[in-house]
Amino acid sequence: MDFGKNLGFGMMRLPQLDPDRAQALDKEQTARMIDAFIERGFTYFDTAWMYHDGASERAAGELLVDRHPRGSFTLASKMFASLLTCREDAEKMFTTQLRRTHTDHFDFYLHHNMNAENYAAAQKYDVFAYLRRRKEQGYIGALGFSFHDSVELLEQILTEHPEMEFVQLQINYLDWESENVQSRLCYECARSHGKSIIVMEPLKGGALVRLPSEAEAVLRAIHPDWSNAAWANLFCASLDGVEMVLSGMSTWEQLDENTRVFAAQRRLNEEELAAVWRVRDIIKSSGEIPCTACRYCIEVNPCPQNIAIPSYFSLYNLEKFDIKRPFSPQKEYYDYLVANGSGRAADCIKCGLCERSCPQHIDIRTNLEKVSAMWD
């Protein structure tokens, strides 16, 4: 597989004329950004069925495919199995995507957002077999999937479907050791299966652009001229086996900086990596709920409602730190924990057992109400 240079143009957050209307794209600005991306030697464009309520795929057709030689770029799109209601729907979705994008093939094609629910739907409607046939017919160059779930499920999918050629993972330095996102564990799993890796959410939806002043000072002390985004992107690009880092670029300034950063093909050294880990620790210590994830609250005095208290507090802090956007990965991981047996935050019966064993003396019951108000 030839991914080209290791920066991909994510078409999930394109420039908009109206921020409240997802389909109201600024086509003039988008076309300018697409042109510059290709002119600077980058080739990979990533869209999907639901991005901008379908307008992203149409923009790929009108502003990319219609305006540039088909061999000058590679195009990726995705199938979202949970939207299917029968086996025939896979054919309808795929042919509609070809029509929207004005192309006769996708260079890369993905199962979108693989988690337990979507994997079950893909199996139920034989999506894996359908896409293999499409690949054999020449409509797909390489097959893979994007992933938001536990490392155990990733291991299962890669074992049951070795025909998958690459995996798209949420990786950034804040999520690297997260017990919920499991970036490092998923990365190592994909590597152990010999799969190429595409990184999504390298900036955690923009959250790693806006850092606490103490954290920013750590980075500025080493490279005063580097942006926070450059640090986050280079962390991902420095990982062995990462073939592509996707960036959802919304402005000309973002595209201009990203192409300059990735053109240098630079990797972080040991001093720079140490700074990144220091920044991660500062961010986590600045969370609204000062939980250290020691797990005393659920292991010393087990919760009678089986509420995953440390995990919920970690997700809540990340959500408060994260920018507001239609898609919340934290909400997805919360729902995943609930679906797999954890009690909801709203299930708390106020018994107080957890607080008796908390070394941080956190008002756990009150903070669970905050979690519940956000997601229940």
Side-chain angles (χ1 to χ4, degrees):
M1 289 181 295
D2 183 10
F3 287 92
K5 288 188 178 180
N6 62 340
L7 171 65
F9 193 131
M11 302 184 73
M12 184 172 71
R13 302 184 183 100
L14 295 174
Q16 293 177 222
L17 298 172
D18 182 347
D20 296 322
R21 292 193 300 122
Q23 293 188 344
L25 301 182
D26 184 339
K27 293 184 179 181
E28 181 178 351
Q29 177 79 326
T30 300
R32 180 190 179 205
M33 292 166 63
I34 288 172
D35 293 351
F37 191 78
I38 293 175
E39 288 167 3
R40 297 179 186 189
F42 299 92
T43 58
Y44 190 96
F45 292 85
D46 171 89
T47 184
W49 175 266
M50 70 283 296
Y51 291 174
H52 289 281
D53 291 340
S56 175
E57 287 186 330
R58 288 190 288 272
E62 179 182 348
L63 306 178
L64 173 65
V65 177
D66 289 353
R67 298 174 60 253
H68 292 274
R70 189 61 181 86
S72 66
F73 62 87
T74 55
L75 180 61
S77 197
K78 313 177 187 75
M79 179 167 292
F80 197 17
S82 284
L83 295 178
L84 308 180
T85 61
C86 62
R87 295 182 180 182
E88 291 71 24
D89 282 350
E91 171 73 10
K92 293 176 184 177
M93 182 178 289
F94 188 79
T95 54
T96 298
Q97 289 177 300
L98 290 173
R99 186 169 61 251
R100 280 179 176 177
T101 55
H102 302 177
T103 189
D104 60 0
H105 73 283
F106 291 107
D107 304 280
F108 300 87
Y109 197 81
L110 298 84
H111 297 265
H112 197 177
N113 187 20
M114 271 295 164
N115 55 24
E117 176 187 356
N118 292 336
Y119 185 50
Q123 299 281 65
K124 178 180 180 180
Y125 299 123
D126 289 332
V127 179
F128 284 90
Y130 170 75
L131 294 181
R132 283 198 302 271
R133 288 196 299 274
R134 281 304 207 176
K135 177 178 169 61
E136 291 166 1
Q137 294 165 353
Y139 291 97
I140 293 172
L143 269 174
F145 60 96
S146 61
F147 188 78
H148 286 287
D149 212 308
S150 69
V151 68
E152 290 80 11
L153 180 62
L154 180 59
E155 176 69 33
Q156 178 185 348
I157 295 173
L158 291 175
T159 300
E160 294 177 354
H161 293 282
E163 75 274 14
M164 295 293 100
E165 299 165 84
F166 64 96
V167 184
Q168 188 166 300
L169 298 172
Q170 177 172 325
I171 295 178
N172 54 71
Y173 64 77
L174 188 58
D175 288 329
W176 187 243
E177 296 293 353
S178 167
E179 65 176 275
N180 302 300
V181 181
Q182 300 184 328
S183 284
R184 177 181 60 80
L185 293 176
C186 289
Y187 163 81
E188 291 174 351
C189 176
R191 289 279 289 161
S192 72
H193 282 265
K195 305 303 181 183
S196 297
I197 297 170
I198 297 178
V199 170
M200 58 182 164
E201 300 291 355
L203 308 183
K204 198 165 177 62
L208 296 181
V209 176
R210 306 174 328 281
L211 299 178
S213 56
E214 180 186 356
E216 201 163 81
V218 172
L219 303 182
R220 294 290 176 272
I222 299 177
H223 293 295
D225 58 332
W226 283 20
S227 70
N228 297 337
W231 279 94
N233 279 322
L234 287 173
F235 167 78
C236 297
S238 299
L239 296 169
D240 291 336
V242 167
E243 301 287 348
M244 178 68 56
V245 178
L246 286 178
S247 178
M249 292 174 273
S250 305
T251 68
W252 169 260
E253 290 74 21
Q254 291 170 359
L255 180 132
D256 185 51
E257 180 188 18
N258 284 345
T259 52
R260 285 188 288 105
V261 167
F262 279 86
Q265 299 288 294
R266 196 185 188 286
R267 295 168 69 96
L268 297 183
N269 59 35
E270 291 186 8
E271 178 191 18
E272 292 160 348
L273 280 173
V276 163
W277 300 136
R278 173 62 182 146
V279 167
R280 176 198 60 188
D281 293 342
I282 292 171
I283 293 171
K284 290 190 173 182
S285 68
S286 65
E288 183 169 314
I289 302 174
C291 175
T292 61
C294 69
R295 302 179 63 83
Y296 288 4
C297 58
I298 56 176
E299 293 180 353
V300 176
N301 293 310
C303 174
Q305 300 297 96
N306 196 35
I307 298 171
I309 297 168
S311 295
Y312 290 176
F313 286 175
S314 174
L315 292 172
Y316 178 87
N317 283 338
L318 290 173
E319 184 75 358
K320 296 293 284 188
F321 179 72
D322 213 342
I323 64 170
K324 297 300 180 184
R325 51 181 172 160
F327 169 73
S328 167
Q330 283 74 245
K331 175 63 164 60
E332 284 226 337
Y333 286 112
Y334 178 82
D335 289 342
Y336 168 79
L337 289 169
V338 171
N340 284 271
S342 296
R344 291 188 173 276
D347 294 338
C348 176
I349 58 175
K350 313 294 185 185
C351 67
L353 285 174
C354 53
E355 295 179 5
R356 297 177 194 174
S357 52
C358 176
Q360 307 303 322
H361 306 292
I362 297 171
D363 184 350
I364 293 175
R365 288 172 287 185
T366 297
N367 282 302
L368 282 175
E369 291 176 358
K370 295 180 182 178
V371 176
S372 179
M374 180 175 286
W375 288 321
D376 284 331

